[in-house]
Amino acid sequence: VQELTDDYEEVEYSSSVQEKADVDAILQKPWTFNKSAAEEARKEMFSYFNPYKIITMTSDDATVGQLQRFYHSKAIPMVDVPPGISRLLPKKQLFRNTRYETCALVGNGGILLNSSCGESIDEKDFVIRCNFAEMEGFSADVGTKTDVLTFNPSILNRKFSKLKSSAMRTKFLKRIQSYGKYVLWVPVFTPHFLPIDVRTVLTFYEKNSNYLKDVQLAFPGNVLPEILDFWMSKGVDEERISTGLLMYIIASTICDKIHLYGFYPFPEYNNKPIPYHYEDPVNKSMTTSEFNSNFRRFHRLPDEFVYLKKMHSAGVLQLNIGTCE
Ligand code: CTP
């Protein structure tokens, strides 16, 4: 498996993309749901791929040693299925016959800070969060409810010292349990996170399965090329589709009305600087290019935002920006 280097080019955004961060126009009008536009958007998306495959593989799909293609850099598309994976996978497709009227999809953008959106998020029927979102100390802004949570194994490195000490293992277990009963969505076929991190997560889960009965693991399946094709057709051409957009696909699969929070990849709002993540310190003033390059080199979140803004105006989804009071 080829490793990625740390070299990257700063992504430049044209001034027109930066202007598109101007959300006043969309906030002025009250948002109304457009059922037929939402159905149309969903139908088009699902003409590219089977959406259930992104929710999870099932134990029938996981043959050890079989090459899987999953989302990552276009240059590194194939990886092995880690051993032991099929034991942890659900036997049946998740959410096959379930539909929720309202869903909150919570990104981790700094726009959520001081938003008071927690109540609005928690009152939705189903809540999706990304990347082991930090909630302690932020509940007024981000809420407390979680039904699906993504977990990128590289978080073990950054926040849990690779689970090397028993103190870290206890901390990690407590944190996984703290979200309640939910689906933990782990992108296992992403080689740059190192198979070793994936294996550490799987081993940890197996060893502690008695304490993790409320946590259902899910590993997305083999639909990368089709997903990239779909987003490309929407003007989003990225090295790697963001976790938030992947979760938007899941939300589109099981929800009627999708409400987005924390999706705002711009360095300021209402002339005030905001951090990239709501848990980060506030940044000094930055351009959109600096803001996105410094933090996320694989994505073009401002391009994703252009699409989301368009969908908001069409009544397909609701983008919540600013405060929820
Ligand atoms: N997001 C956003 N604006 C930000 C930060 C995040 O729109 N300022 C959205 C993106 O869709 C992102 C998701 O919220 O994927 C989850 O946020 P985060 O955990 O910050 O994701 P990243 O680490 O940036 O990236 P990745 O998508 O690779 O997980």
Side-chain angles (χ1 to χ4, degrees):
V1 171
Q2 188 187 333
E3 287 290 327
L4 287 183
T5 69
D6 277 342
D7 300 336
Y8 64 97
E9 284 170 24
E10 187 174 295
V11 179
E12 281 302 326
Y13 293 97
S14 67
S15 56
S16 65
V17 167
Q18 301 207 27
E19 276 161 31
K20 284 175 184 141
D22 174 10
V23 289
D24 290 353
I26 66 170
L27 295 180
Q28 265 157 20
K29 285 197 233 147
W31 181 79
T32 44
F33 178 55
N34 184 334
K35 191 163 185 266
S36 58
E39 271 165 17
E40 202 45 50
R42 184 178 295 127
K43 216 165 99 195
E44 196 198 342
M45 185 189 277
F46 299 167
S47 70
Y48 280 77
F49 51 83
N50 173 355
Y52 288 96
K53 293 250 180 204
I54 185 79
I55 296 178
T56 189
M57 299 171 82
T58 63
S59 46
D60 288 347
D61 298 328
T63 311
V64 173
Q66 179 190 315
L67 289 174
Q68 292 288 333
R69 193 169 187 191
F70 187 59
Y71 89 84
H72 183 55
S73 141
K74 289 168 194 165
I76 314 171
M78 307 297 266
V79 244
D80 273 317
V81 172
I85 204 168
S86 58
R87 286 196 299 282
L88 303 175
L89 282 163
K91 291 194 174 43
K92 284 204 247 150
Q93 237 332 316
L94 299 174
F95 312 119
R96 209 9 143 178
N97 300 309
T98 326
R99 233 181 138 77
Y100 296 91
E101 197 195 330
T102 58
C103 292
L105 170 51
V106 190
N108 291 329
I111 193 76
L112 271 170
L113 207 54
N114 303 319
S115 67
S116 302
C117 285
E119 214 175 295
S120 166
I121 291 170
D122 281 347
E123 74 188 16
K124 304 297 181 288
D125 301 329
F126 195 87
V127 179
I128 304 178
R129 298 182 191 272
C130 302
N131 294 337
F132 233 39
E134 187 66 68
M135 279 146 81
E136 208 182 309
F138 296 99
S139 59
D141 293 334
V142 308
T144 55
K145 182 172 162 181
T146 302
D147 294 289
V148 169
L149 176 68
T150 74
F151 181 80
N152 171 335
S154 67
I155 295 169
L156 285 188
N157 246 336
R158 280 190 280 119
K159 296 201 168 163
F160 298 93
S161 315
K162 293 187 175 249
L163 302 186
K164 285 204 169 121
S165 68
S166 82
M168 274 303 159
R169 289 192 290 276
T170 306
K171 183 177 165 196
F172 183 55
L173 181 63
K174 285 204 172 127
R175 178 70 179 270
I176 305 190
Q177 290 172 320
S178 71
Y179 296 94
K181 188 172 165 60
Y182 63 102
V183 171
L184 185 66
W185 187 92
V186 187
V188 283
F189 306 119
T190 47
H192 80 291
F193 300 139
L194 300 179
I196 204 150
D197 287 343
V198 170
R199 244 159 251 190
T200 308
V201 175
L202 300 185
T203 309
F204 181 86
Y205 186 93
E206 280 201 300
K207 279 197 179 143
N208 293 282
S209 56
N210 277 346
Y211 306 104
L212 295 173
K213 291 197 188 320
D214 284 342
V215 183
Q216 169 64 65
L217 289 180
F219 307 125
N222 194 7
V223 277
L224 167 72
E226 295 83 359
I227 288 175
L228 290 179
D229 282 352
F230 169 73
W231 287 112
M232 183 86 91
S233 79
K234 298 295 165 212
V236 180
D237 180 10
E238 294 174 293
E239 178 115 351
R240 201 149 62 76
I241 296 298
S242 78
T243 303
L245 270 207
L246 289 171
M247 290 303 107
Y248 175 65
I249 296 172
I250 294 188
S252 302
T253 312
I254 57 180
C255 312
D256 289 336
K257 294 180 193 152
I258 304 170
H259 303 266
L260 272 64
Y261 302 81
F263 284 72
Y264 188 76
F266 301 99
E268 58 171 51
Y269 178 68
N270 270 352
N271 299 321
K272 287 203 195 101
I274 56 164
Y276 184 90
H277 291 126
Y278 61 76
E279 61 185 276
D280 294 342
V282 176
N283 301 298
K284 60 177 179 27
S285 168
M286 284 182 181
T287 66
T288 294
S289 295
E290 284 166 342
F291 187 74
N292 283 280
S293 296
N294 280 359
F295 290 91
R296 294 297 171 243
R297 68 189 94 148
F298 308 108
H299 303 314
R300 294 185 62 91
L301 296 189
D303 292 347
E304 296 186 1
F305 189 81
V306 170
Y307 172 79
L308 296 175
K309 205 172 122 176
K310 203 166 130 197
M311 291 296 106
H312 172 101
S313 302
V316 171
L317 57 84
Q318 184 191 26
L319 257 182
N320 288 279
I321 291 156
T323 58
C324 289
E325 289 160 323

